[in-house]
Amino acid sequence: MSHTGTTSDRLTCAPSRAVRELGLKRVEFDLAVNLGLIRTVPDEGGGGPRVALAEIERLRSGDGFPDVLRDRVATVGTTEGAKLMGVAPTRFTSLARYGLLIPVKFYLNRYRTVVWLYLAEELRQFAAEGSHARLLTARRTPSEIRDGLKAGMDRRPRNWRGRHVGFLTRQAGDDPWARAAAVACLLDPADVADIVRDPRERTRLARCHPRLPAHGAPGSPTAELAETLMTASEPDEVAWFRADLAHTLEAARRHHPVADALAPAPQAGPDPLVPLPAPAAGPDLLVPPPSRTRSARATPGSGGRPAHAHGPHPSPQPAGLASPKAPAAGRMNPVVPHHRRPAR
């Protein structure tokens, strides 16, 4: 359905137009949205997020636009990041693996090697912090970092997941099910099924599942490696995500329970919305009525049909039995066994 001409369309624009208006690349725009530098609004028609024209004007009127905005979303890899901080690439990698430098993005190159990217602005701030001088200028890496690296420590994937769940939660806004889905998407499906036992709730979470960064064709080795990086793996990290999912799920249940989850059990007996048929007039149906002559006529206006003809349809006549003649008004033919002929 087209929504052209709605109030929302006149006051907002699609991300593609916002990219052009702000002079950004699409990857820069997406990162700015994730970081909260560009505010978006939901589409009233159910589409993706949109950008208010007033927001674009706010950004364009800022000091140093567009260079300042570009600088805030600029990313660098290990080699360029090491130059910004004035350290060797090996020292930079050690600090990142120990968890002191938090990546904001990653991609897999042609050799399926993970390339981590960092915000240049954050690296400059880290290097300018006086308390970090020993980490950058000491001849040897501090012993606690060396011991951790010898044990195989690499917190880059975990730190990326922790940062990305924050991005997804911000995008979810006030929707409690979308916030729960933001946490669930970074857990193994088995963990999600263990926390969310109701299949209807899992279906609701699947509808709100956010879009994760795509890497390679679905099912390819590259995609499988990326999925591993985007799934919580360390025991304490998994426990944290599970606890967070349980907490956000409780909030979702309180505010917007899944349809039919709290539906009352069906009442016994006939459906109260269907009126019961009126009782048939005349004597007890189990007692055969006295013989009547052929001249007996139906009640005027009945059309020769029994008085209950406008009520529920009678059961169909069993196969092999002749249909009895139309009864007189206000009377019903007695139940006649199939091996006897009705009295004439």
Side-chain angles (χ1 to χ4, degrees), residues 281-283 287-300 325-334 342-344:
V287 179
S291 300
R292 298 180 60 86
T293 64
R294 292 176 179 269
S295 61
R297 290 185 293 179
T299 303
K325 293 182 179 295
R331 300 285 187 179
M332 294 183 65
N333 279 348
R344 304 181 68 86

PDB file of all heavy atoms in Angstrom, residues 281-283 287-300 325-334 342-344:
ATOM      1  N   ALA A 281     -43.586 -27.539  20.571  1.00  0.00           N
ATOM      2  CA  ALA A 281     -44.907 -27.502  21.175  1.00  0.00           C
ATOM      3  C   ALA A 281     -45.527 -28.881  21.139  1.00  0.00           C
ATOM      4  O   ALA A 281     -45.160 -29.724  20.329  1.00  0.00           O
ATOM      5  CB  ALA A 281     -45.799 -26.504  20.433  1.00  0.00           C
ATOM      6  N   GLY A 282     -46.461 -29.108  22.034  1.00  0.00           N
ATOM      7  CA  GLY A 282     -47.181 -30.361  22.009  1.00  0.00           C
ATOM      8  C   GLY A 282     -46.763 -31.274  23.128  1.00  0.00           C
ATOM      9  O   GLY A 282     -45.977 -30.906  24.002  1.00  0.00           O
ATOM     10  N   PRO A 283     -47.278 -32.472  23.142  1.00  0.00           N
ATOM     11  CA  PRO A 283     -46.992 -33.428  24.214  1.00  0.00           C
ATOM     12  C   PRO A 283     -45.570 -33.928  24.143  1.00  0.00           C
ATOM     13  O   PRO A 283     -44.815 -33.604  23.233  1.00  0.00           O
ATOM     14  CB  PRO A 283     -47.997 -34.535  23.959  1.00  0.00           C
ATOM     15  CG  PRO A 283     -48.250 -34.466  22.475  1.00  0.00           C
ATOM     16  CD  PRO A 283     -48.193 -33.011  22.137  1.00  0.00           C
ATOM     17  N   VAL A 287     -43.867 -39.889  23.632  1.00  0.00           N
ATOM     18  CA  VAL A 287     -45.183 -40.533  23.649  1.00  0.00           C
ATOM     19  C   VAL A 287     -45.800 -40.349  22.282  1.00  0.00           C
ATOM     20  O   VAL A 287     -45.999 -39.222  21.823  1.00  0.00           O
ATOM     21  CB  VAL A 287     -46.092 -39.914  24.730  1.00  0.00           C
ATOM     22  CG1 VAL A 287     -47.462 -40.601  24.709  1.00  0.00           C
ATOM     23  CG2 VAL A 287     -45.440 -40.047  26.086  1.00  0.00           C
ATOM     24  N   PRO A 288     -46.137 -41.460  21.591  1.00  0.00           N
ATOM     25  CA  PRO A 288     -46.717 -41.315  20.243  1.00  0.00           C
ATOM     26  C   PRO A 288     -48.015 -40.548  20.314  1.00  0.00           C
ATOM     27  O   PRO A 288     -48.852 -40.776  21.193  1.00  0.00           O
ATOM     28  CB  PRO A 288     -46.930 -42.767  19.801  1.00  0.00           C
ATOM     29  CG  PRO A 288     -46.014 -43.572  20.660  1.00  0.00           C
ATOM     30  CD  PRO A 288     -45.941 -42.856  21.967  1.00  0.00           C
ATOM     31  N   PRO A 289     -48.244 -39.598  19.406  1.00  0.00           N
ATOM     32  CA  PRO A 289     -49.486 -38.833  19.398  1.00  0.00           C
ATOM     33  C   PRO A 289     -50.622 -39.690  18.866  1.00  0.00           C
ATOM     34  O   PRO A 289     -50.393 -40.723  18.219  1.00  0.00           O
ATOM     35  CB  PRO A 289     -49.188 -37.673  18.457  1.00  0.00           C
ATOM     36  CG  PRO A 289     -48.184 -38.233  17.518  1.00  0.00           C
ATOM     37  CD  PRO A 289     -47.352 -39.185  18.320  1.00  0.00           C
ATOM     38  N   PRO A 290     -51.874 -39.302  19.134  1.00  0.00           N
ATOM     39  CA  PRO A 290     -53.010 -40.063  18.596  1.00  0.00           C
ATOM     40  C   PRO A 290     -53.037 -39.964  17.084  1.00  0.00           C
ATOM     41  O   PRO A 290     -52.473 -39.060  16.481  1.00  0.00           O
ATOM     42  CB  PRO A 290     -54.219 -39.359  19.229  1.00  0.00           C
ATOM     43  CG  PRO A 290     -53.738 -38.000  19.570  1.00  0.00           C
ATOM     44  CD  PRO A 290     -52.289 -38.160  19.935  1.00  0.00           C
ATOM     45  N   SER A 291     -53.721 -40.953  16.485  1.00  0.00           N
ATOM     46  CA  SER A 291     -53.802 -40.996  15.018  1.00  0.00           C
ATOM     47  C   SER A 291     -54.492 -39.753  14.502  1.00  0.00           C
ATOM     48  O   SER A 291     -55.418 -39.223  15.113  1.00  0.00           O
ATOM     49  CB  SER A 291     -54.565 -42.251  14.579  1.00  0.00           C
ATOM     50  OG  SER A 291     -53.896 -43.403  15.030  1.00  0.00           O
ATOM     51  N   ARG A 292     -54.013 -39.287  13.358  1.00  0.00           N
ATOM     52  CA  ARG A 292     -54.593 -38.116  12.741  1.00  0.00           C
ATOM     53  C   ARG A 292     -55.015 -38.480  11.338  1.00  0.00           C
ATOM     54  O   ARG A 292     -54.450 -39.345  10.683  1.00  0.00           O
ATOM     55  CB  ARG A 292     -53.599 -36.953  12.695  1.00  0.00           C
ATOM     56  CG  ARG A 292     -53.164 -36.502  14.062  1.00  0.00           C
ATOM     57  CD  ARG A 292     -52.195 -35.351  13.944  1.00  0.00           C
ATOM     58  NE  ARG A 292     -52.782 -34.199  13.263  1.00  0.00           N
ATOM     59  CZ  ARG A 292     -53.503 -33.269  13.897  1.00  0.00           C
ATOM     60  NH1 ARG A 292     -53.726 -33.363  15.188  1.00  0.00           N
ATOM     61  NH2 ARG A 292     -53.994 -32.242  13.241  1.00  0.00           N
ATOM     62  N   THR A 293     -56.030 -37.809  10.858  1.00  0.00           N
ATOM     63  CA  THR A 293     -56.515 -38.057   9.493  1.00  0.00           C
ATOM     64  C   THR A 293     -55.710 -37.249   8.522  1.00  0.00           C
ATOM     65  O   THR A 293     -54.976 -36.331   8.882  1.00  0.00           O
ATOM     66  CB  THR A 293     -57.999 -37.663   9.391  1.00  0.00           C
ATOM     67  OG1 THR A 293     -58.100 -36.266   9.601  1.00  0.00           O
ATOM     68  CG2 THR A 293     -58.841 -38.407  10.426  1.00  0.00           C
ATOM     69  N   ARG A 294     -55.837 -37.621   7.223  1.00  0.00           N
ATOM     70  CA  ARG A 294     -55.124 -36.890   6.193  1.00  0.00           C
ATOM     71  C   ARG A 294     -55.585 -35.457   6.069  1.00  0.00           C
ATOM     72  O   ARG A 294     -54.910 -34.625   5.495  1.00  0.00           O
ATOM     73  CB  ARG A 294     -55.296 -37.578   4.841  1.00  0.00           C
ATOM     74  CG  ARG A 294     -54.617 -38.923   4.759  1.00  0.00           C
ATOM     75  CD  ARG A 294     -54.933 -39.557   3.410  1.00  0.00           C
ATOM     76  NE  ARG A 294     -54.279 -40.839   3.285  1.00  0.00           N
ATOM     77  CZ  ARG A 294     -53.076 -41.032   2.782  1.00  0.00           C
ATOM     78  NH1 ARG A 294     -52.390 -39.999   2.377  1.00  0.00           N
ATOM     79  NH2 ARG A 294     -52.557 -42.220   2.699  1.00  0.00           N
ATOM     80  N   SER A 295     -56.835 -35.148   6.609  1.00  0.00           N
ATOM     81  CA  SER A 295     -57.377 -33.806   6.436  1.00  0.00           C
ATOM     82  C   SER A 295     -56.790 -32.799   7.386  1.00  0.00           C
ATOM     83  O   SER A 295     -57.084 -31.621   7.300  1.00  0.00           O
ATOM     84  CB  SER A 295     -58.897 -33.827   6.629  1.00  0.00           C
ATOM     85  OG  SER A 295     -59.202 -34.267   7.939  1.00  0.00           O
ATOM     86  N   ALA A 296     -55.943 -33.331   8.346  1.00  0.00           N
ATOM     87  CA  ALA A 296     -55.327 -32.387   9.285  1.00  0.00           C
ATOM     88  C   ALA A 296     -54.436 -31.436   8.520  1.00  0.00           C
ATOM     89  O   ALA A 296     -53.647 -31.843   7.690  1.00  0.00           O
ATOM     90  CB  ALA A 296     -54.519 -33.149  10.334  1.00  0.00           C
ATOM     91  N   ARG A 297     -54.584 -30.165   8.809  1.00  0.00           N
ATOM     92  CA  ARG A 297     -53.838 -29.154   8.075  1.00  0.00           C
ATOM     93  C   ARG A 297     -52.835 -28.459   8.980  1.00  0.00           C
ATOM     94  O   ARG A 297     -53.035 -28.380  10.184  1.00  0.00           O
ATOM     95  CB  ARG A 297     -54.786 -28.116   7.470  1.00  0.00           C
ATOM     96  CG  ARG A 297     -55.619 -28.709   6.320  1.00  0.00           C
ATOM     97  CD  ARG A 297     -56.460 -27.647   5.650  1.00  0.00           C
ATOM     98  NE  ARG A 297     -57.486 -27.166   6.578  1.00  0.00           N
ATOM     99  CZ  ARG A 297     -58.350 -26.214   6.247  1.00  0.00           C
ATOM    100  NH1 ARG A 297     -58.290 -25.642   5.053  1.00  0.00           N
ATOM    101  NH2 ARG A 297     -59.266 -25.826   7.120  1.00  0.00           N
ATOM    102  N   ALA A 298     -51.815 -27.885   8.357  1.00  0.00           N
ATOM    103  CA  ALA A 298     -50.779 -27.189   9.127  1.00  0.00           C
ATOM    104  C   ALA A 298     -51.299 -25.855   9.574  1.00  0.00           C
ATOM    105  O   ALA A 298     -52.259 -25.309   9.040  1.00  0.00           O
ATOM    106  CB  ALA A 298     -49.521 -26.996   8.265  1.00  0.00           C
ATOM    107  N   THR A 299     -50.636 -25.310  10.559  1.00  0.00           N
ATOM    108  CA  THR A 299     -50.987 -23.992  11.060  1.00  0.00           C
ATOM    109  C   THR A 299     -50.851 -22.980   9.943  1.00  0.00           C
ATOM    110  O   THR A 299     -49.876 -23.014   9.182  1.00  0.00           O
ATOM    111  CB  THR A 299     -50.051 -23.614  12.218  1.00  0.00           C
ATOM    112  OG1 THR A 299     -50.172 -24.622  13.208  1.00  0.00           O
ATOM    113  CG2 THR A 299     -50.394 -22.266  12.794  1.00  0.00           C
ATOM    114  N   PRO A 300     -51.826 -22.069   9.816  1.00  0.00           N
ATOM    115  CA  PRO A 300     -51.725 -21.073   8.738  1.00  0.00           C
ATOM    116  C   PRO A 300     -50.398 -20.339   8.790  1.00  0.00           C
ATOM    117  O   PRO A 300     -49.942 -19.942   9.866  1.00  0.00           O
ATOM    118  CB  PRO A 300     -52.909 -20.139   9.012  1.00  0.00           C
ATOM    119  CG  PRO A 300     -53.875 -20.977   9.785  1.00  0.00           C
ATOM    120  CD  PRO A 300     -53.065 -21.922  10.588  1.00  0.00           C
ATOM    121  N   LYS A 325     -43.903 -38.204   5.716  1.00  0.00           N
ATOM    122  CA  LYS A 325     -44.683 -37.058   5.254  1.00  0.00           C
ATOM    123  C   LYS A 325     -44.527 -35.906   6.215  1.00  0.00           C
ATOM    124  O   LYS A 325     -44.190 -36.094   7.380  1.00  0.00           O
ATOM    125  CB  LYS A 325     -46.151 -37.441   5.131  1.00  0.00           C
ATOM    126  CG  LYS A 325     -46.415 -38.469   4.022  1.00  0.00           C
ATOM    127  CD  LYS A 325     -47.867 -38.768   3.933  1.00  0.00           C
ATOM    128  CE  LYS A 325     -48.156 -39.772   2.832  1.00  0.00           C
ATOM    129  NZ  LYS A 325     -47.828 -39.226   1.522  1.00  0.00           N
ATOM    130  N   ALA A 326     -44.779 -34.694   5.736  1.00  0.00           N
ATOM    131  CA  ALA A 326     -44.664 -33.506   6.573  1.00  0.00           C
ATOM    132  C   ALA A 326     -45.660 -33.606   7.715  1.00  0.00           C
ATOM    133  O   ALA A 326     -46.837 -33.872   7.490  1.00  0.00           O
ATOM    134  CB  ALA A 326     -44.930 -32.256   5.755  1.00  0.00           C
ATOM    135  N   PRO A 327     -45.222 -33.394   8.970  1.00  0.00           N
ATOM    136  CA  PRO A 327     -46.130 -33.496  10.110  1.00  0.00           C
ATOM    137  C   PRO A 327     -47.001 -32.268  10.191  1.00  0.00           C
ATOM    138  O   PRO A 327     -46.729 -31.225   9.614  1.00  0.00           O
ATOM    139  CB  PRO A 327     -45.179 -33.594  11.291  1.00  0.00           C
ATOM    140  CG  PRO A 327     -43.969 -32.851  10.852  1.00  0.00           C
ATOM    141  CD  PRO A 327     -43.853 -33.107   9.371  1.00  0.00           C
ATOM    142  N   ALA A 328     -48.059 -32.423  10.977  1.00  0.00           N
ATOM    143  CA  ALA A 328     -48.945 -31.291  11.225  1.00  0.00           C
ATOM    144  C   ALA A 328     -48.248 -30.264  12.072  1.00  0.00           C
ATOM    145  O   ALA A 328     -47.311 -30.559  12.799  1.00  0.00           O
ATOM    146  CB  ALA A 328     -50.216 -31.768  11.929  1.00  0.00           C
ATOM    147  N   ALA A 329     -48.721 -29.003  11.975  1.00  0.00           N
ATOM    148  CA  ALA A 329     -48.108 -27.915  12.731  1.00  0.00           C
ATOM    149  C   ALA A 329     -48.207 -28.207  14.207  1.00  0.00           C
ATOM    150  O   ALA A 329     -49.231 -28.658  14.713  1.00  0.00           O
ATOM    151  CB  ALA A 329     -48.817 -26.608  12.404  1.00  0.00           C
ATOM    152  N   GLY A 330     -47.109 -27.862  14.906  1.00  0.00           N
ATOM    153  CA  GLY A 330     -47.091 -28.036  16.348  1.00  0.00           C
ATOM    154  C   GLY A 330     -46.840 -29.461  16.770  1.00  0.00           C
ATOM    155  O   GLY A 330     -46.813 -29.754  17.965  1.00  0.00           O
ATOM    156  N   ARG A 331     -46.696 -30.412  15.841  1.00  0.00           N
ATOM    157  CA  ARG A 331     -46.473 -31.815  16.167  1.00  0.00           C
ATOM    158  C   ARG A 331     -45.193 -32.282  15.487  1.00  0.00           C
ATOM    159  O   ARG A 331     -44.747 -31.742  14.494  1.00  0.00           O
ATOM    160  CB  ARG A 331     -47.634 -32.679  15.673  1.00  0.00           C
ATOM    161  CG  ARG A 331     -48.970 -32.305  16.274  1.00  0.00           C
ATOM    162  CD  ARG A 331     -49.077 -32.776  17.699  1.00  0.00           C
ATOM    163  NE  ARG A 331     -50.414 -32.558  18.217  1.00  0.00           N
ATOM    164  CZ  ARG A 331     -50.796 -32.896  19.438  1.00  0.00           C
ATOM    165  NH1 ARG A 331     -49.938 -33.465  20.252  1.00  0.00           N
ATOM    166  NH2 ARG A 331     -52.011 -32.671  19.845  1.00  0.00           N
ATOM    167  N   MET A 332     -44.588 -33.324  16.034  1.00  0.00           N
ATOM    168  CA  MET A 332     -43.435 -33.949  15.410  1.00  0.00           C
ATOM    169  C   MET A 332     -43.722 -35.421  15.268  1.00  0.00           C
ATOM    170  O   MET A 332     -44.396 -36.027  16.111  1.00  0.00           O
ATOM    171  CB  MET A 332     -42.164 -33.769  16.247  1.00  0.00           C
ATOM    172  CG  MET A 332     -41.714 -32.325  16.349  1.00  0.00           C
ATOM    173  SD  MET A 332     -40.187 -32.186  17.248  1.00  0.00           S
ATOM    174  CE  MET A 332     -39.094 -33.057  16.159  1.00  0.00           C
ATOM    175  N   ASN A 333     -43.313 -36.016  14.193  1.00  0.00           N
ATOM    176  CA  ASN A 333     -43.506 -37.444  14.025  1.00  0.00           C
ATOM    177  C   ASN A 333     -42.753 -38.188  15.112  1.00  0.00           C
ATOM    178  O   ASN A 333     -41.640 -37.813  15.486  1.00  0.00           O
ATOM    179  CB  ASN A 333     -42.980 -37.894  12.664  1.00  0.00           C
ATOM    180  CG  ASN A 333     -43.985 -37.608  11.571  1.00  0.00           C
ATOM    181  OD1 ASN A 333     -45.125 -37.286  11.874  1.00  0.00           O
ATOM    182  ND2 ASN A 333     -43.549 -37.718  10.321  1.00  0.00           N
ATOM    183  N   PRO A 334     -43.300 -39.238  15.638  1.00  0.00           N
ATOM    184  CA  PRO A 334     -42.564 -40.048  16.612  1.00  0.00           C
ATOM    185  C   PRO A 334     -41.390 -40.734  15.955  1.00  0.00           C
ATOM    186  O   PRO A 334     -41.361 -40.914  14.744  1.00  0.00           O
ATOM    187  CB  PRO A 334     -43.613 -41.054  17.096  1.00  0.00           C
ATOM    188  CG  PRO A 334     -44.563 -41.171  15.944  1.00  0.00           C
ATOM    189  CD  PRO A 334     -44.632 -39.798  15.336  1.00  0.00           C
ATOM    190  N   PRO A 342     -44.523 -46.460   9.422  1.00  0.00           N
ATOM    191  CA  PRO A 342     -45.339 -45.574  10.251  1.00  0.00           C
ATOM    192  C   PRO A 342     -46.809 -45.782   9.958  1.00  0.00           C
ATOM    193  O   PRO A 342     -47.214 -46.153   8.864  1.00  0.00           O
ATOM    194  CB  PRO A 342     -44.871 -44.176   9.812  1.00  0.00           C
ATOM    195  CG  PRO A 342     -44.307 -44.370   8.451  1.00  0.00           C
ATOM    196  CD  PRO A 342     -43.708 -45.743   8.424  1.00  0.00           C
ATOM    197  N   ALA A 343     -47.621 -45.571  11.021  1.00  0.00           N
ATOM    198  CA  ALA A 343     -49.065 -45.725  10.886  1.00  0.00           C
ATOM    199  C   ALA A 343     -49.593 -44.701   9.928  1.00  0.00           C
ATOM    200  O   ALA A 343     -49.161 -43.535   9.929  1.00  0.00           O
ATOM    201  CB  ALA A 343     -49.751 -45.572  12.252  1.00  0.00           C
ATOM    202  N   ARG A 344     -50.533 -45.103   9.101  1.00  0.00           N
ATOM    203  CA  ARG A 344     -51.096 -44.191   8.107  1.00  0.00           C
ATOM    204  C   ARG A 344     -52.521 -43.868   8.502  1.00  0.00           C
ATOM    205  O   ARG A 344     -53.221 -44.680   9.052  1.00  0.00           O
ATOM    206  CB  ARG A 344     -51.033 -44.797   6.715  1.00  0.00           C
ATOM    207  CG  ARG A 344     -49.602 -45.189   6.341  1.00  0.00           C
ATOM    208  CD  ARG A 344     -49.564 -45.770   4.944  1.00  0.00           C
ATOM    209  NE  ARG A 344     -49.867 -44.773   3.954  1.00  0.00           N
ATOM    210  CZ  ARG A 344     -48.957 -43.956   3.411  1.00  0.00           C
ATOM    211  NH1 ARG A 344     -47.691 -44.025   3.776  1.00  0.00           N
ATOM    212  NH2 ARG A 344     -49.277 -43.072   2.496  1.00  0.00           N
TER     213      ARG A 344
END
